[in-house]
């Protein structure tokens, strides 16, 4: 038995045959060329064909996993149109007389090395993207056939890493799990596994070879452990755990349709977090009582231009109508930090997590902010929408944001456009500054929503995407919990409700702690709704 230890990106246990992921061989060897311009034309034709393929893949992926996950194919098209990338390849063909295949490969490796050398974990992960688009162009140049993805049926995929396009072309209904020797918890493979609920372990550090192909494997996504060719004792033990998990999911059905109320009668709103309207089916199927965080920035990602007012209005309207009167809290755009968009033309920053992002962009680009607020207000006529401003550190920011909102509403009044004049306005508490000043901030808004991910990052001074610091990162740190408790208490003193919409909201080990602090709402990923409701219903806060 071979036991591997990696990083868990999606919980659950899966058992099945291991299938090594095989890519077609591409030759990028250097060979002499006679006509550089003909070689440039050959590269441009391969690039155009690759862009066309990516557009087709995008359209298929939208139907399969929604726009948020499919956006990677739009990003890849943009990367193939990047002037620096294209010019580097063309100059190598013309100046160094390299054949197109070799020029693409040299550029791919140089760009990938550049991304890997960056401090930001998100940018480091982009190395996989530039290699992915380059492989596609190289395959076109070599005239090779694509990978036969249909060959992977009811297997656990094992690979060094899976490129975004490879992951999304797999028939995930037939994939039992993923195991990769490389990759990160921020990779597209990891994101897809979490979205679809497929057990996955990445970064095992062990490259697997043909001698294990077809052997039975167990992926324990809960502990990040992989067993290959397990002995009878291990197999039996893991089958029992798998059966237990299946029974557990069946047991959770008993709380579907019930109230999220403690034994002593305390009701807690259990809402869901989403990125766009494509996630609404998950919200409904998991019986969430509302939407506590609509990450509106996903409407801005994977595009070449800003979304129009009408595009945003239709997305917010659809969400409000689908939720049929249940509350929908929409966070204004939180671009910046790990969410980079080229057309925003943000200046490079040494520490983007503490730079120009979220409300800071909105207040320095008021016309961009006004467009989003107009769409939000107009959509509020079709349901129960609340607006929430992120990354607040002062009362001045809140007042300035509210002033712009009020000006937009006056404009809508003059135009005779309907909107909910009683729409709630809240803020994210995700900086220590906001938590410490929560007594003053509570006087300005209708609610607080605590973003525990960033609050933990900024309180502990640890980049939450820097995996090398995992040993130092403690989401249960007393300082973080004190700030959360202080925020809830200060909010209640001013008569406003307080929720939590970060990862800690789904941490069942802290549910009772949060309820005793007095939290009013918890917003979690859709699959976490029923386990959280069950936990709440088991508690008696009088004891």
């Amino acid at each position: 038995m071979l036991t591997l230890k990696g990083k868990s990106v999606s919980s659950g246990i899966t058992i099945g045959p291991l299938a090594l992921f095989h890519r077609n061989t591409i030759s990028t060897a250097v060979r002499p060329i006679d006509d550089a311009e003909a070689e440039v034309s050959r590269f441009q034709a391969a690039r155009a064909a690759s862009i066309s393929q990516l557009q087709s893949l995008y359209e298929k992926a939208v139907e399969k996993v929604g726009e948020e996950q499919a956006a990677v194919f739009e990003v890849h098209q943009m990367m193939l149109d990047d002037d620096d990338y294209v010019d580097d390849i063309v100059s190598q063909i013309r100046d160094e007389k390299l054949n197109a295949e070799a020029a693409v490969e040299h550029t791919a490796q140089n760009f990938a090395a550049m991304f890997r050398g960056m401090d930001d974990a998100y940018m480091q992960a982009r190395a996989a993207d530039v290699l992915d688009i380059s492989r596609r162009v190289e395959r076109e140049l070599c005239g090779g056939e694509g990978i036969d993805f249909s060959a992977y049926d009811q297997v656990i995929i094992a690979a060094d890493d899976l490129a975004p396009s490879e992951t999304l072309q797999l028939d995930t209904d037939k994939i039992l799990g993923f195991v990769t020797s490389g990759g990160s918890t921020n990779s597209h493979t990891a994101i897809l596994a979490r979205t679809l609920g497929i057990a996955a372990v990445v970064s095992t550090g062990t490259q697997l070879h043909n001698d294990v192909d077809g052997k039975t494997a167990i992926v324990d996504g809960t502990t990040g452990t992989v067993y290959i060719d397990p002995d009878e004792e291990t197999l039996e033990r893991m089958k029992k755990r798998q059966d237990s998990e299946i029974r557990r999911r069946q047991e959770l059905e008993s709380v579907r349709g019930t109230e999220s109320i403690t034994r002593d009668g305390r009701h807690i709103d259990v809402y869901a977090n989403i990125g766009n309207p494509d996630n609404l089916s998950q919200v409904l199927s998991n019986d969430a009582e509302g939407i506590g965080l609509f990450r509106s920035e996903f409407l801005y990602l994977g595009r070449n231009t800003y979304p129009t007012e009408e595009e945003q209005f239709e997305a917010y309207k659809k969400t409000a109508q689908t939720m049929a009167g249940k509350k929908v809290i929409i966070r204004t755009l939180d671009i910046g930090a790990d969410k980079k968009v080229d057309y925003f033309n943000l200046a490079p920053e040494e520490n983007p997590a503490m730079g120009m992002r979220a409300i800071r962009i909105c207040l320095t680009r008021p016309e961009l902010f006004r467009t989003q607020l107009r769409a939000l207000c107009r959509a509020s006529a079709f349901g129960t929408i609340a607006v929430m401003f992120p990354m607040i550190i002062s009362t001045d920011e809140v007042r300035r944001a509210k002033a712009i909102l009020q000006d937009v509403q006056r404009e809508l009044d003059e135009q005779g456009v309907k909107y909910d004049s009683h729409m709630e306005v809240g803020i994210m508490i995700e900086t220590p500054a906001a938590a410490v000043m929560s007594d003053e901030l509570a006087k300005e808004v209708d609610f607080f929503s605590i973003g525990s991910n960033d609050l933990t990052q900024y309180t502990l001074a640890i980049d939450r995407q820097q995996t090398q610091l995992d040993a130092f990162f403690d989401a249960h740190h007393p300082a973080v919990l004190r700030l959360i408790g202080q925020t809830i208490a200060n909010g209640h003193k001013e008569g406003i409700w307080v929720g939590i919409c970060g990862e800690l909201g789904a941490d069942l080990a802290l549910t009772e702690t949060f309820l005793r602090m007095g939290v009013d709402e918890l917003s979690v990923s859709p699959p976490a709704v029923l386990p959280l409701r069950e936990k709440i219903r088991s508690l008696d806060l009088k004891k």
Side-chain angles (χ1 to χ4, degrees), residues 253-378:
E253 289 299 310
S254 66
V255 298
R256 182 182 296 279
T258 64
E259 287 189 89
S260 302
I261 188 169
T262 63
R263 291 185 175 182
D264 55 308
R266 169 94 182 280
H267 181 268
I268 308 297
D269 290 322
V270 177
Y271 291 171
N273 301 331
I274 67 170
N276 58 54
D278 294 319
N279 303 141
L280 288 170
S281 60
Q282 291 177 293
V283 174
L284 298 177
S285 65
N286 285 281
D287 200 31
E289 297 162 27
I291 293 173
L293 174 61
F294 184 124
R295 300 183 180 93
S296 68
E297 59 270 16
F298 282 106
L299 300 179
Y300 294 75
L301 299 175
R303 312 171 46 99
N304 296 317
T305 59
Y306 298 104
T308 65
E309 178 183 326
E310 286 304 314
E311 287 175 318
Q312 294 188 66
F313 165 67
E314 289 298 333
Y316 305 145
K317 175 185 173 183
K318 177 181 178 181
T319 303
Q321 289 179 322
T322 301
M323 294 307 293
K326 294 180 178 179
K327 188 175 292 185
V328 176
I329 301 173
I330 300 177
R331 179 175 71 187
T332 55
L333 70 92
D334 187 9
I335 293 297
D338 61 329
K339 288 166 286 204
K340 295 177 172 59
V341 180
D342 289 342
Y343 60 83
F344 271 70
N345 295 315
L346 297 174
E349 296 176 301
E350 287 292 329
N351 193 344
M354 295 191 179
M356 184 60 74
R357 61 174 292 196
I359 197 66
R360 299 165 186 174
I361 294 177
C362 293
L363 293 179
T364 54
R365 302 185 185 186
E367 288 309 309
L368 174 67
F369 195 28
R370 290 175 64 88
T371 298
Q372 180 172 36
L373 293 177
R374 277 185 59 90
L376 279 168
C377 289
R378 289 172 56 200

Side-chain angles (χ1 to χ4, degrees), residues 387-489:
V387 63
M388 178 165 66
F389 305 132
M391 281 297 293
I392 294 295
I393 62 170
S394 70
T395 54
D396 177 65
E397 289 174 337
V398 179
R399 290 167 185 160
R400 289 168 63 192
K402 286 168 57 181
I404 296 173
L405 173 62
Q406 290 161 5
D407 189 51
V408 164
Q409 291 174 333
R410 281 193 294 270
E411 185 179 83
L412 293 174
D413 285 333
E414 293 170 0
Q415 296 171 349
V417 178
K418 293 182 179 180
Y419 65 91
D420 179 7
S421 60
H422 301 290
M423 181 175 66
E424 285 187 310
V425 177
I427 61 171
M428 295 278 288
I429 302 292
E430 49 193 335
T431 66
V436 172
M437 292 291 295
S438 55
D439 55 340
E440 294 298 321
L441 291 168
K443 296 180 173 69
E444 303 290 335
V445 294
D446 300 310
F447 68 91
F448 287 154
S449 187
I450 300 169
S452 62
N453 301 347
D454 271 328
L455 182 60
T456 304
Q457 169 177 244
Y458 294 130
T459 302
L460 302 185
I462 294 178
D463 184 347
R464 59 192 174 105
Q465 295 199 80
Q466 174 55 275
T467 56
Q468 293 177 342
L469 297 176
D470 285 351
F472 299 94
F473 191 86
D474 179 12
H476 292 204
H477 195 287
V480 177
L481 297 181
R482 283 189 188 185
L483 289 175
I484 291 174
Q486 177 182 329
T487 299
I488 294 171

